Amino acid sequence: ATSAKPETLYTILKNESMYKFYCDDTAITQTKENHFPVNILGGILIKREDEIRLSNSIKKIKSKYILETLPIKYNLKDVQQKYKEFKKLDEFEKLKSNYNDFRKEIINEMNNYDVKIIISCVENFQQKPKNQGELKRDLSSYLFANTLMRLGLIIKENNSDYTQVILDWPEGNDPKPFDKEYFYAYNKGTSSSGQPFFSGALKNLNFDQTLYYARCHHSNLLQLSDIIIGSTRDWASCLIQNRDYSIGKELTELFMHKFHGYPNNILGQGINVSSNSPKFKQKLSEILKKYGV
């Protein structure tokens, strides 16, 4: 009799429930029309098998407009320099002329998959502090810890065998706030300030011990997260300012049903607002009620 072939890592993991969370951040700046300067962090949670299929689908959509290897972001100008480096500014102009349709096509494709959107928000009451770097680190720590708290609860409910968290490489080349919060969340089940996670320590929920970073222009799913977070930011800004339309508003309305907690508990599950931001939270509540959610 022949002996059974030893299981490879691939065959083991193929039969397990694996999730990945792709995370990015952005901010709503204060203007005369918008009195809520808000920092936002969050992204998309997706099963590993869906991640592969969705990434391939994004490549196919890209190839209809540009080379599939070129990067995208919510604001196309954020990657213009990359197109210049690659000597592909003609591709940039081609995509730019069709970018609204392109982004809608990407979102409509995402909607075919079991994706959950989770974001955290906090008002930035010091838009021009003396130490902007220190404030940025504090806000990043708070938002990431808050997002991990919610993510832990979702993973606990779904009995994942393995979960990875992937962040876009931090602005200013400073990963320390995220490393610190992940260490506490993984090992102790608390934020670095000591706030306990209702889910318990992430290590007991089969999270990867390591927090991963990637360059957005090398990852289709981080690029998608950027579109999601950027759209959500502009959706909120548009409605706070009582404007009728923005492309971010249109895109967010396309994927609103993907927020965790939809339809009854988006605020508090899919969109998590700091208790230190009651006015912004109330404004979001009023906005969501207009959608019947």
Side-chain angles (χ1 to χ4, degrees):
T2 58
S3 59
K5 292 182 179 180
E7 286 191 299
T8 64
L9 178 62
Y10 171 75
T11 57
I12 293 170
L13 294 179
K14 184 175 70 172
N15 297 317
E16 292 188 343
S17 171
M18 298 174 58
Y19 284 87
K20 288 194 172 185
F21 183 65
Y22 285 89
C23 188
D24 200 1
D25 63 356
T26 187
I28 301 174
T29 55
Q30 188 172 23
T31 65
K32 290 181 179 179
E33 295 79 19
N34 172 40
H35 303 294
F36 295 101
V38 175
N39 284 57
I40 301 170
L41 182 145
I44 54 174
L45 179 66
I46 188 169
K47 285 187 175 181
R48 171 59 178 159
E49 58 267 30
D50 284 339
E51 174 209 20
I52 296 170
R53 288 194 286 265
L54 179 53
S55 181
N56 287 333
S57 294
I58 292 172
K59 288 180 184 178
K60 288 179 181 178
I61 295 171
K62 281 183 176 182
S63 67
K64 292 163 56 177
Y65 298 83
I66 54 173
L67 293 173
E68 67 175 40
T69 54
L70 290 170
I72 55 171
K73 281 197 167 189
Y74 175 73
N75 188 342
L76 193 57
K77 289 182 180 179
D78 290 344
V79 289
Q80 185 173 5
Q81 184 59 35
K82 286 296 171 187
Y83 284 71
K84 187 176 181 179
E85 287 176 18
F86 300 149
K87 295 180 169 56
K88 294 295 181 183
L89 284 176
D90 56 333
E91 299 277 310
F92 178 86
E93 293 301 326
K94 185 166 60 174
L95 181 57
K96 183 180 175 182
S97 64
N98 296 285
Y99 205 45
N100 284 359
D101 290 339
F102 174 82
R103 285 180 290 189
K104 285 187 274 189
E105 195 168 348
I106 292 285
I107 295 303
N108 284 328
E109 181 61 28
M110 181 196 74
N111 285 340
N112 293 323
Y113 294 86
D114 183 14
V115 168
K116 291 184 187 298
I117 299 171
I118 310 143
I119 68 171
S120 295
C121 312
V122 63
E123 282 187 78
N124 177 356
F125 294 105
Q126 301 180 56
Q127 284 282 287
K128 295 181 180 179
K130 291 182 179 179
N131 192 335
Q132 184 67 43
E134 183 178 346
L135 177 63
K136 172 69 174 173
R137 287 190 291 272
D138 289 345
L139 291 173
S140 295
S141 288
Y142 175 83
L143 288 170
F144 190 47
N146 203 32
T147 302
L148 289 174
M149 287 180 191
R150 178 55 56 186
L151 184 60
L153 286 173
I154 296 171
I155 292 302
K156 189 172 185 178
E157 292 168 3
N158 286 274
N159 297 312
S160 171
D161 295 301
Y162 176 73
T163 301
Q164 261 185 1
V165 178
I166 304 100
L167 285 172
D168 188 16
W169 184 250
E171 184 180 346
N173 295 317
D174 184 10
K176 291 179 182 178
F178 305 101
D179 292 341
K180 177 181 68 175
E181 291 304 332
Y182 197 80
F183 172 85
Y184 277 90
Y186 180 83
N187 291 290
K188 300 185 177 183
T190 71
S191 68
S192 63
S193 63
Q195 185 174 356
F197 283 31
F198 290 115
S199 66
L202 301 188
K203 67 180 181 181
N204 298 327
L205 301 174
N206 301 315
F207 274 71
D208 195 306
Q209 183 180 7
T210 301
L211 173 63
Y212 292 87
Y213 297 93
R215 298 287 182 180
C216 186
H217 53 269
H218 293 314
S219 168
N220 284 324
L221 273 293
L222 277 176
Q223 292 166 35
L224 175 60
S225 291
D226 184 90
I227 291 174
I228 296 295
I229 298 301
S231 298
T232 304
R233 173 198 66 209
D234 285 359
W235 163 77
S237 292
C238 179
L239 292 169
I240 287 169
Q241 296 171 27
N242 295 313
R243 289 186 281 121
D244 293 329
Y245 178 80
S246 74
I247 183 59
K249 178 175 179 286
E250 183 177 0
L251 293 174
T252 303
E253 289 170 353
L254 287 177
F255 62 70
M256 186 172 288
H257 64 288
K258 292 297 185 180
F259 277 109
H260 182 55
Y262 180 90
N264 298 318
N265 297 297
I266 290 180
L267 193 59
Q269 294 189 14
I271 302 176
N272 303 278
V273 182
S274 166
S275 58
N276 294 326
S277 308
K279 291 183 179 179
F280 179 66
K281 187 173 185 178
Q282 178 60 35
K283 188 64 178 180
L284 277 185
S285 178
E286 293 168 5
I287 289 170
L288 289 168
K289 281 179 181 177
K290 294 178 181 178
Y291 289 92
V293 296

